Amino acid sequence: MTKKLYLETVGCQMNVLDSELVVGSLRRQGYELTQETTDADVILFNTCSVRQHAEDKIYSALGRLRHHKVKHSGTIIGVLGCMAQKDQEQIRRRAPHVDIICGTGQLAQLPALIQSVQRTGALQIALSLDRTQSRHEVERSFESYDPMRDPSMRPNRFQAYVRIMIGCDKFCTYCIVPSVRGPEQSRHPEQIAAEVQQLACEGCKEITLLGQTVNSYHYDLGAGRTARLSDLLARIHDTPGIERIKFITNYPKDMTDDLLEALRDLPRVCPYLHVPAQSGCNEVLKRMKRMYTAEFYRDMLARCRERVPGVAISSDFIVGFSGEKDVSFERTCDLVREARFKNSFIFKYSPRPGTKGHELYADDVPEEVKKRRNNDLLAIQNAASLQDHRRFIGTRVEILVEGPSKNAWKQESTGPVQLTGRTRTDHIAVFDGNPRLAGQTMQIDIEDATSFTLYGRVVTSEQVGVEETDCCDESVRPNQRIELPLVG
Ligand code: SAM
Ligand code: SF4
């Protein structure tokens, strides 16, 4: 009999990918997804620990399930991912109705853990070692979770994430990731290439390579040879069917020239870099242990733009980190004013027990100051994004259509609706068209822009996507010839 699975995901792209893989593997065990916790046999939360807010959300959701579990004692509730790895004691105390606690490095055990709960009714825990143990042992306890892909588990079949490494060794003082995702370990390039090939055969056109510090990727091939990210990009570049390759997230210190040259020379690698700066103040960067200065970051930006003409760059910032004074924050504002980022993600500092930052420094910036700095920096970034977006007005860009925009439901159900897609530089564009254009690469004329969005019109006189490919699944030819336009 079909069993029902409810899965809620919080956090980064790595969690989204983990969830896709978990659902794929449980579907092979006969589970079907449900949108409701009330009719689920298994309820899973794939969790994030990067900020307190993400943890609070999960504890609230678990709290709401307490009564449900009393009435339906057979329902299995599991906490997966970063919070599970970090806080098993706290989860047991605050949510004793949880049946499974499974860390990021143990997801392959999940089907067996569910069976054990069904058999014994007892709490099942699968966690990796903490980072005080020997590196080799800890590495072995964090398994890269890369089971078979299931295209029906992605929001669409033409875009996919591919994990190229796990973990992080940078230990920025504010960040919990190195503890909950373990040591940095890169996957073998041939294993990655095989996965990309399989995804392409299933109709995938765009892949995004994932790593916490993706440009630190290096795999020791033996005999003194190492595969770097630039080598990996070259290796997968000509996979038939793949039109776009992106990679996130980059670490500023590891932005090497060979990588920038690969970005410049490999046409399917998109000219887009997400390179978080975190702060523009050297004292703050030092306390964050980011290992670079604001001057280094500026030089790196200049080098990216010189080597890769037209590259779009985005960033992350933390405001209100311990010891951040008004004058330190001003340095960050200066950087954002100058840097011409496409966009920035701005976060208020959230102290994380278990990090050096929490241990060494007081959380001494009041909440209202963090809020104000967040808003001020956002306003500066929004003005820069508007300027960046407006230069597209009057130009023609290539879009990969992702599907109806979030406003599409407001429109009439027949005829064209508002569609959304992204340029090769990761700019979001909306335009009217038929929903069946999702997955197609098209030319769009940009007519207007806001800080967040380009507004365009489909180019009517062209045919795009005519390149023939040699794909193994005839039913899902990735580059089909399409007839345009379908717009009103
Ligand atoms: N590995 C990536 C990197 O180094 O940029 C990103 C990892 S983290 C999941 C994503 C972003 O969350 C970081 O770039 C940082 O801006 C933010 N972040 C991490 N720890 C934080 C904390 N304790 N409080 C607020 N924001 C935090
Ligand atoms: Fe966290 Fe720093 Fe590693 Fe990014 S590089 S995951 S911010 S420790």
Side-chain angles (χ1 to χ4, degrees):
M1 211 180 69
T2 313
K3 294 159 280 180
K4 296 239 166 104
L5 167 69
Y6 173 91
L7 173 64
E8 198 170 310
T9 306
V10 181
C12 63
Q13 293 89 349
M14 209 52 110
N15 272 11
V16 172
L17 175 56
D18 281 339
S19 288
E20 176 196 321
L21 299 174
V22 160
V23 176
S25 79
L26 290 178
R27 263 164 60 101
R28 284 189 279 281
Q29 312 269 323
Y31 283 89
E32 218 171 60
L33 269 182
T34 170
Q35 302 301 317
E36 304 295 335
T37 51
T38 42
D39 66 352
D41 301 290
V42 174
I43 300 172
L44 299 175
F45 295 94
N46 193 6
T47 61
C48 170
S49 285
V50 168
R51 284 169 289 278
Q52 184 60 42
H53 176 68
E55 295 193 357
D56 294 343
K57 228 173 127 172
I58 296 297
Y59 282 118
S60 304
L62 289 172
R64 287 194 296 274
L65 286 172
R66 195 183 286 259
H67 291 295
H68 180 79
K69 178 77 176 174
V70 173
K71 286 200 199 134
H72 305 87
S73 58
T75 308
I76 295 175
I77 301 177
V79 177
L80 318 179
C82 298
M83 261 172 83
Q85 180 61 35
K86 173 171 156 277
D87 282 334
Q88 63 142 321
E89 291 303 336
Q90 201 180 337
I91 294 167
R92 293 173 72 168
R93 201 176 60 247
R94 291 182 63 176
H97 51 298
V98 162
D99 302 288
I100 294 173
I101 299 177
C102 179
T104 54
Q106 302 288 323
L107 294 174
Q109 313 299 325
L110 193 59
L113 297 174
I114 293 173
Q115 280 169 13
S116 298
V117 178
Q118 283 161 341
R119 216 177 41 248
T120 64
L123 171 67
Q124 301 296 313
I125 299 178
L127 298 174
S128 305
L129 297 175
D130 71 45
R131 295 201 64 171
T132 55
Q133 318 283 316
S134 87
R135 174 154 188 126
H136 181 63
E137 293 294 309
V138 183
E139 273 185 5
R140 280 185 32 182
S141 77
F142 276 90
E143 233 184 283
S144 182
Y145 182 51
D146 307 301
M148 266 163 51
R149 306 296 298 251
D150 179 342
S152 63
M153 285 304 98
R154 294 196 291 280
N156 63 58
R157 51 194 305 144
F158 50 88
Q159 291 175 303
Y161 292 129
V162 174
R163 195 191 323 270
I164 68 166
M165 59 204 289
I166 59 170
C168 180
D169 285 342
K170 303 296 189 204
F171 287 100
C172 304
T173 56
Y174 52 81
C175 186
I176 197 67
V177 169
S179 307
V180 293
R181 289 214 169 253
E184 181 190 299
Q185 300 181 72
S186 296
R187 284 176 78 196
H188 196 295
E190 288 309 318
Q191 210 184 3
I192 297 166
E195 191 169 325
V196 171
Q197 171 86 53
Q198 187 206 333
L199 288 163
C201 287
E202 291 165 356
C204 186
K205 290 182 170 184
E206 178 185 281
I207 57 158
T208 303
L209 307 178
L210 294 186
Q212 294 298 341
T213 55
V214 73
N215 55 340
S216 318
Y217 174 87
H218 61 104
Y219 190 89
D220 183 359
L221 296 164
R225 292 179 312 135
T226 302
R228 300 162 298 175
L229 180 56
S230 56
D231 302 314
L232 180 65
L233 292 172
R235 171 68 184 83
I236 62 176
H237 183 262
D238 295 326
T239 309
I242 297 296
E243 295 178 11
R244 291 180 172 197
I245 302 170
K246 297 178 178 173
F247 51 91
I248 50 175
T249 294
N250 292 281
Y251 186 67
K253 280 281 274 191
D254 293 337
M255 194 61 81
T256 51
D257 285 343
D258 60 291
L259 177 58
L260 295 177
E261 279 153 21
L263 206 62
R264 182 193 60 201
D265 297 339
L266 298 172
R268 292 187 193 125
V269 179
C270 292
Y272 165 60
L273 292 167
H274 182 60
V275 204
Q278 311 299 0
S279 170
C281 168
N282 287 341
E283 276 164 39
V284 174
L285 286 169
K286 194 164 177 193
R287 270 198 303 282
M288 287 177 163
K289 197 174 156 279
R290 284 293 283 183
M291 314 293 278
Y292 53 82
T293 60
E295 293 73 31
F296 176 92
Y297 188 87
R298 282 184 169 85
D299 287 348
M300 183 227 46
L301 281 185
R303 201 157 44 84
C304 293
R305 290 189 166 124
E306 185 193 307
R307 300 279 160 124
V308 191
V311 68
I313 300 174
S314 60
S315 189
D316 291 352
F317 288 92
I318 297 176
V319 294
F321 185 62
S322 315
E324 186 190 69
K325 313 253 176 4
D326 282 342
V327 57
S328 348
F329 175 64
E330 265 313 309
R331 300 283 83 79
T332 301
C333 295
D334 291 342
L335 176 60
V336 175
R337 275 189 207 99
E338 285 165 38
R340 294 182 285 123
F341 294 122
K342 174 178 85 76
N343 66 295
S344 291
F345 298 95
I346 299 166
F347 306 103
K348 290 179 291 172
Y349 174 53
S350 171
R352 307 282 63 217
T355 60
K356 277 283 170 210
H358 182 258
E359 190 187 311
L360 297 176
Y361 311 120
D363 178 24
D364 56 1
V365 179
E367 182 60 23
E368 67 271 17
V369 177
K370 286 182 186 173
K371 249 189 216 158
R372 198 181 60 230
R373 289 182 185 165
N374 192 321
N375 291 340
D376 290 353
L377 197 59
L378 205 56
I380 295 170
Q381 177 57 60
N382 285 348
S385 296
L386 180 62
Q387 228 183 348
D388 174 61
H389 278 74
R390 287 191 69 80
R391 71 195 165 85
F392 284 92
I393 296 176
T395 67
R396 184 167 289 183
V397 293
E398 182 201 278
I399 300 287
L400 177 62
V401 185
E402 293 180 355
S405 77
K406 58 180 184 301
N407 290 327
W409 65 272
K410 295 180 194 156
Q411 298 173 272
E412 294 287 327
S413 58
T414 54
V417 296
Q418 189 179 67
L419 300 178
T420 181
R422 280 176 198 257
T423 67
R424 287 170 45 74
T425 47
D426 203 54
H427 289 83
I428 297 169
V430 299
F431 49 94
D432 284 346
N434 189 308
R436 83 174 176 84
L437 291 174
Q440 303 293 354
T441 310
M442 315 179 63
Q443 301 293 314
I444 303 286
D445 283 338
I446 300 302
E447 297 176 331
D448 202 358
T450 65
S451 300
F452 306 102
T453 314
L454 303 174
Y455 293 87
R457 180 180 289 275
V458 176
V459 176
T460 55
S461 57
E462 290 190 26
Q463 288 182 320
V464 290
V466 293
E467 192 185 335
E468 286 301 321
T469 64
D470 192 16
C471 191
C472 50
D473 179 357
E474 280 298 280
S475 64
V476 279
R477 297 257 310 279
N479 282 326
Q480 289 168 349
R481 184 185 291 267
I482 57 161
E483 303 301 329
L484 297 178
L486 291 159
V487 287

